[in-house]
Amino acid sequence: GKQLEGIWHTSIVVHKDEFFFGSGGISSCPPGGTLLGPPDSVVDVGSTEVTEEIFLEYLSSLGESLFRGEAYNLFEHNCNTFSNEVAQFLTGRKIPSYITDLPSEVLSTPFGQALRPLLDSIQIQPPGGNAIGRPNGQS
Amino acid sequence: MAENGESNGLPHPSRGPAAAQGSATAAAEPKIIKVTVKTPKEKEEFAVPENSSVQQFKEAISKRFKSQTDQLVLIFAGKILKDQDTLIQHGIHDGLTVHLVIKSQNRPQGQSTQPSNAAGTNTTTASTPRSNSTPISTNSNPFGLGNLGGLASLSSLGLSSTNFSELQSQMQQQLLSSPEMMIQIMENPFVQSMLSNPDLMRQLIMANPQMQQLIQRNPEISHLLNNPDIMRQTLEIARNPAMMQEMMRNQDLALSNLESIPGGYNALRRMYTDIQEPMLNAAQEQFGGNPFASVGSSSSSGEGTQPSRTENRDPLPNPWAPPQATPSSATTNTTTSSGSGSGSSSNPQLIQNMLSAPYMRSMMQSLSQNPDLAAQQMQNPDTLAAMSNPRAMQALMQIQQGLQTLATEAPGRPPGPAGSGGPAGSGGHTGSTVSSSAPSETTSPTSEPGPNQQFIQQMVQALAGANTPQLPNPEVRFQQQLEQLNAMGFLNREANLQALIATGGDINAAIERLLGSQPS
């Protein structure tokens, strides 16, 4: 069997706000403000010149196109996908590979394959954030 | 310059200077590099000379993306590319990706205010808070507070305290301290639909034990509550915050006029001590008592003393001050101290989220269709415990998701509990998700298990058919009323049923409808 250290949920903290992607779309909250609490580990991806204004514009177009809530998929297109995209946008660097490799690690085990249909349908949205990119904050 | 080898990207007007430049370095044959430009929505490849400036690059981009150059913001490796830089300067080589953000000209209101507020604050700028918000606490509108009591118990997810009444008081406090939130909650359509059901509201109010005591002492109040017209009017007013403010202003004016009539002050005082004060006390007990209590009692000598001719210059007590020290012993409230205040900054958003979460919506809908069960549910300690357990709520949400998928996959097949087995089996199954801890369905509810299960079934049904919530059969709902109408002589069952449905089960209104439509 294979031992996984954890199923990582990641988010990007920039301009003193935390941004993450869940089944409800892109959301933001104060850092560590979701129900999951303060982070297990913090990785410094770099520094960015992008202003908050531009970033929020970027996020809202992402939220309408690539990262709508319905597009959430636990394996292929999850919070880590989002964090990776945003990290590259902001700094040009990607997030650590042990996070992005997680789905393929799971799927490479027979157990993971067996569980796949069930896991595929799981929609995760850590409570505690506000949605971005919708004219009305309520879904 | 190799015209034929040139890319399709560079527009002709800039060919001139570029050509001049190009010819100077013609000998060096500037390399054409392929750069991918990525926007949130699409991705395009551009072939440009290595030594182009960002400005030229933008012009090429603006053609392809159909925007103006000043709308384009190019970002590479976290840096914003300025017009006078060159691509080489930033290290943009062949095959790399540059990010592009296209600024929209007229940004929606929410976005333009976002940079100024922290993103963590309320994003529902669509309903911008009105500048003169009337806090409802001081004026004796007990219905308002009664409603809040009911509402508060519904949306308590995510708060850290486990004791339910603590949660409730926390919610109420936050609501009262933030008039904007109150307004937003009032405007939430589901709140409004709940408020518009007079039966439900009446029961919620009656369920409050302090109100019950009050009603015993003052039968007039029970008249008020039972008169559907007044209830409806009050609810209308409660629903519409602007109207409420108007009403209160008028009331204040009328009261102050009364004061000046000889003997009027006595009447006022009597009215206050008999009716308003106990109500205010009852409703506000959780907040540390009536802040105005001391004001009245200080002039307790003789009922007939007119207010002194000079203006009273003492500042009125601050009703919104954080509740002082001792919580009342009647309720089980423990510290409503600043601890809740600090947590409350993030809580309003939680509450917003919870109110808008889909399962909340369907629950509210099913609740509003079952006023009796709703009141019962409020008191059932297990449901309360379940609702304050976030994991249970998450489980419920997952069930809803599963049911929705099921509904789309096999629309003909009714969702599990309704179609399958007996009520006992289904009750047990759904019961396990509702109660947060181990106790089985048979031991949990103190009142009849029947309606409890029924309610859960309906809730699950409602969750499953979230788009079109299943109404329990109107005939069943209105059984009692139908019988009454029959006894009164309205023999047309169909017409009765329709009238009952139209008035939501209100017999008197239904009778009026029937009489109005029948020529006799």
Side-chain angles (χ1 to χ4, degrees), chain B residues 211-428:
Chain B
M211 283 300 282
Q212 281 172 0
Q213 274 181 0
L214 199 54
I215 287 177
Q216 278 168 6
R217 264 184 279 155
N218 275 325
E220 299 160 354
I221 298 183
S222 71
H223 279 266
L224 266 182
L225 281 177
N226 284 330
N227 184 344
D229 283 330
I230 293 193
M231 279 295 287
R232 225 173 288 150
Q233 218 181 28
T234 319
L235 287 176
E236 265 298 316
I237 293 173
R239 261 205 302 181
N240 184 346
M243 213 194 310
M244 182 131 70
Q245 288 175 17
E246 267 297 315
M247 274 285 299
M248 295 214 267
R249 228 174 293 148
N250 291 345
Q251 216 179 8
D252 285 340
L253 277 176
L255 284 181
S256 63
N257 285 342
L258 256 188
E259 226 179 330
S260 47
I261 300 175
Y265 183 66
N266 294 345
L268 262 186
R269 197 190 168 75
R270 221 177 322 136
M271 189 172 79
Y272 178 67
T273 47
D274 285 345
I275 299 182
Q276 287 188 357
E277 188 169 320
M279 272 191 148
L280 192 55
N281 278 342
Q284 274 208 330
E285 207 165 7
Q286 294 172 321
F287 307 131
N290 183 358
F292 294 115
S294 57
V295 176
S297 59
S298 61
S299 60
S300 59
S301 58
E303 304 87 72
T305 57
Q306 295 279 3
S308 62
R309 293 295 162 189
T310 60
E311 279 177 42
N312 176 10
R313 291 192 191 273
D314 304 330
L316 287 173
N318 181 3
W320 300 289
Q324 316 290 344
T326 59
S328 53
S329 52
T331 64
T332 58
N333 280 335
T334 50
T335 58
T336 53
S337 62
S338 57
S340 66
S342 57
S344 67
S345 55
S346 50
N347 281 335
Q349 290 97 47
L350 278 181
I351 293 168
Q352 278 283 334
N353 282 350
M354 290 320 114
L355 269 184
S356 54
Y359 54 86
M360 266 306 172
R361 232 184 272 168
S362 31
M363 246 179 55
M364 280 196 183
Q365 270 179 356
S366 57
L367 273 182
S368 58
Q369 289 154 20
N370 279 316
D372 342 288
L373 295 178
Q376 229 180 39
Q377 283 300 320
M378 295 308 154
Q379 291 147 6
N380 186 348
D382 271 338
T383 8
L384 300 186
M387 286 205 245
S388 51
N389 182 350
R391 282 196 307 280
M393 291 313 272
Q394 263 191 357
L396 271 179
M397 185 162 106
Q398 284 180 356
I399 289 183
Q400 183 208 3
Q401 302 279 0
L403 284 172
Q404 267 181 0
T405 337
L406 193 62
T408 51
E409 298 297 324
R413 187 181 171 283
S420 69
S426 59

Side-chain angles (χ1 to χ4, degrees), chain A residues 49 53 57 65 90 129-130 138, chain B residues 40 78 107 111 120 352-353:
Chain A
E49 269 186 18
E53 193 184 323
E57 277 251 15
S65 60
L90 288 176
N130 289 318
Q138 297 167 352
Chain B
R107 263 179 248 127
Q111 256 198 326
Q352 278 283 334
N353 282 350

Side-chain angles (χ1 to χ4, degrees), chain A residues 22-37:
Chain A
S23 55
I26 304 182
S27 315
S28 78
C29 64
T34 64
L35 204 57
L36 299 170

